[in-house]
Amino acid sequence: MLKILLFIFLIQIVYVSAYTLRMILTLKGQKYIAALISMGEIVIYVLGLNLVLSYLTQPSALIVYAVGYGLGVLLGAWIEEKIALGYVTVKVICNQMGGGLANALRDKGYGVTSWVGSGRDGDRLVMEILAKRKNQKLLYQTILALDPKAFVITVEPKQFHGGFWTRSIKK
């Protein structure tokens, strides 16, 4: 019975990780890769469900199935985080009006659009930066190293049109 429980556990982790990854890829517009993953996912799902239903009189089989599901969600999210698909738009608001921060970020290869905004305590430099998600952490570290008091917001863009980035994004 221990081998069966272990098999149920592993099947569930693989299935739910694939499911989680497929959903994230679908949301990011990677529909063909998501479709390929879904074909393997459904085979694994049917095998795992059949196995659990065969041992329905054993509560441990259902518990292992549920625990595997939860760990599969965590593993799928971790995998997606590591491959970091897509882009982020980072909005930065800071007190440094000279443009030094914007130029320093441009020198590091980031596309920066900047303008002057009016805040409660006066003018602020507002910047919008488009970056690959896998570079997000480094971008944050760079911004905060240059201006520890910067206000930073991140959003994930869904569509792109125009600008110098769109040529490299569509490839």
Side-chain angles (χ1 to χ4, degrees):
M1 184 66 187
L2 187 59
K3 283 184 181 180
I4 291 168
L5 291 176
L6 183 61
F7 191 60
I8 290 171
F9 182 71
L10 292 175
I11 279 180
Q12 196 62 348
I13 287 177
V14 171
Y15 159 67
V16 179
S17 295
Y19 172 81
T20 304
L21 213 58
R22 176 184 53 87
M23 290 302 297
I24 292 167
L25 288 168
T26 301
L27 292 171
K28 294 193 181 285
Q30 301 287 330
K31 58 187 174 190
Y32 297 110
I33 296 171
L36 285 172
I37 290 173
S38 71
M39 291 187 306
E41 173 195 335
I42 197 64
V43 170
I44 295 167
Y45 171 74
V46 170
L47 289 172
L49 185 61
N50 181 49
L51 197 56
V52 168
L53 291 176
S54 298
Y55 290 92
L56 208 49
T57 57
Q58 299 288 328
S60 58
L62 192 54
I63 291 169
V64 166
Y65 189 77
V67 171
Y69 194 98
L71 290 176
V73 169
L74 292 174
L75 181 61
W78 180 81
I79 291 169
E80 192 282 330
E81 192 177 293
K82 290 300 173 196
I83 58 177
L85 298 171
Y87 294 84
V88 291
T89 300
V90 178
K91 184 175 282 188
V92 181
I93 302 172
C94 66
N95 294 332
Q96 299 179 15
M97 293 299 297
L101 180 56
N103 288 331
L105 292 170
R106 287 183 188 114
D107 290 344
K108 293 188 177 290
Y110 296 105
V112 179
T113 300
S114 61
W115 62 94
V116 175
S118 179
R120 184 187 73 187
D121 297 327
D123 288 344
R124 301 285 183 260
L125 179 64
V126 180
M127 295 173 284
E128 204 158 282
I129 307 155
L130 182 66
K132 291 182 178 181
R133 256 189 74 223
K134 63 182 173 187
N135 298 335
Q136 179 179 349
K137 189 174 183 178
L138 180 61
L139 175 58
Y140 263 62
Q141 290 170 347
T142 304
I143 291 166
L144 295 177
L146 294 168
D147 185 355
K149 293 184 178 183
F151 178 69
V152 184
I153 301 171
T154 301
V155 295
E156 200 168 327
K158 297 292 179 196
Q159 290 182 299
F160 299 92
H161 175 79
F164 79 95
W165 266 90
T166 54
R167 287 185 294 274
S168 63
I169 289 171
K170 291 180 180 178
K171 291 180 182 175

